[in-house]
Amino acid sequence: MIYTVTLNPAIDQIIKVNAELTRGKNNRIVKSLLDVGGKGTHVSIVLSILGTPNIATGFAGQNNKETFDHLLRQNRVEPQFHVLEGESIRENLVLMDQSNQGSYMLTHVGSVITTKQIDQFSKALCQKINKTEDIVVFSGNPPKTMSTDDYLALIKKVQSTGVRTVIDASGSYLQAAISSRPTMIKPNQFELSEFLGKNIITVEDCVKVQSDIQLLGVEFVVITLGQNGSVLFHQDNIYQVVSPKVNTVNDTGCGDAFVGGLVFGLYHDFSIEDMLTLASAIGASKAKQFTSSGFDVEELSDLENLVKVMQLK
Ligand code: TA6
């Protein structure tokens, strides 16, 4: 079983306006919809589309949980979130205009989660986990009110069951996550640059920091480089992935969809090349959707044929 943990989920209101966003002008909305937000939930949606059973868990405010659960079930995901009484799941805005230069994400901080609630959550999750083949995905940062110590303690408690962990986090939470030696991390170039204190923009920049990456003690380190594709480090090997060029409708959630493909490949013992090909194709398909989650499974094999994976070392 695969468990995705979203400590700070969201409901996204996705909006498109009729021209380039302009101050002082009536920017008319031409399209809007609600979607699930919060990263781990997006990983679950990818896994469900691919037909792999998974459980989406984390913390969800009580007040608008019905809408959140409905959106997840619409995407064939069974939510098992711990309810935060009296709280609301944050409602984020994903705004796009006719410039097609990418989305504006306007995000709330999220609910306060107490150490006691985290302890209860980790006990319940650890009781569910019963096989070392299970994978637990921590995707998306917790609410800023959660200390990195609490975050690390949660990860380590889960790891003590013997499961593999995949972590997609940033800033001090990425730093904490790396110290737990997870199975896989997926920072983007900015998150890794901040962590290493070195500027990482190109594939060549990634190759130059191979020894730093090996010192992290993480089995798979996947770095997303935006238009420059992605790079995966595994033991002494380095792989470069060139994603298919697609017409981007909404860039929100592409990284999360990519993680969904990586997790699927890891769980089903794919070769590194096949895992990267699947993940890259899913991320590209997500970019073509107006939503912030999901992808079009009908176009997956065509997109996979356009992905290039090269072993650099
Ligand atoms: O990665 C996509 C997304 O989860 C959106 O759904 C939106 O809710 C935003 O990112 C939330 O980002 P945050 O870093 O605040 O969890």
Side-chain angles (χ1 to χ4, degrees), residues 9-11 35-37 41 45 56-83 89:
I11 294 170
D35 195 1
V36 174
T41 50
I45 288 171
T57 186
F59 291 92
Q62 176 186 37
N63 302 339
N64 50 358
K65 190 170 176 300
E66 210 174 304
T67 304
F68 178 72
D69 287 352
H70 174 71
L71 288 167
L72 281 170
R73 291 193 175 106
Q74 247 183 342
N75 286 284
R76 290 173 284 168
V77 172
E78 186 46 42
Q80 290 188 14
F81 282 73
H82 281 230
V83 179
I89 298 164

Side-chain angles (χ1 to χ4, degrees), residues 1-5 40-48 50-57 77-80 125 128-139 158 163-166 259-269 278:
M1 179 59 79
I2 301 171
Y3 299 83
T4 66
V5 179
T41 50
H42 292 166
V43 173
S44 268
I45 288 171
V46 163
L47 294 170
S48 290
L50 293 170
T52 285
N54 66 92
I55 289 173
T57 186
V77 172
E78 186 46 42
Q80 290 188 14
L125 180 56
K128 284 191 190 121
I129 296 166
N130 58 18
K131 290 203 224 74
T132 48
E133 306 88 82
D134 287 357
I135 293 180
V136 177
V137 185
F138 291 89
S139 194
V158 168
V163 289
R164 289 170 290 175
T165 49
V166 175
V259 171
L262 293 174
V263 169
F264 182 89
L266 192 62
Y267 189 71
H268 294 286
D269 298 323
L278 174 68

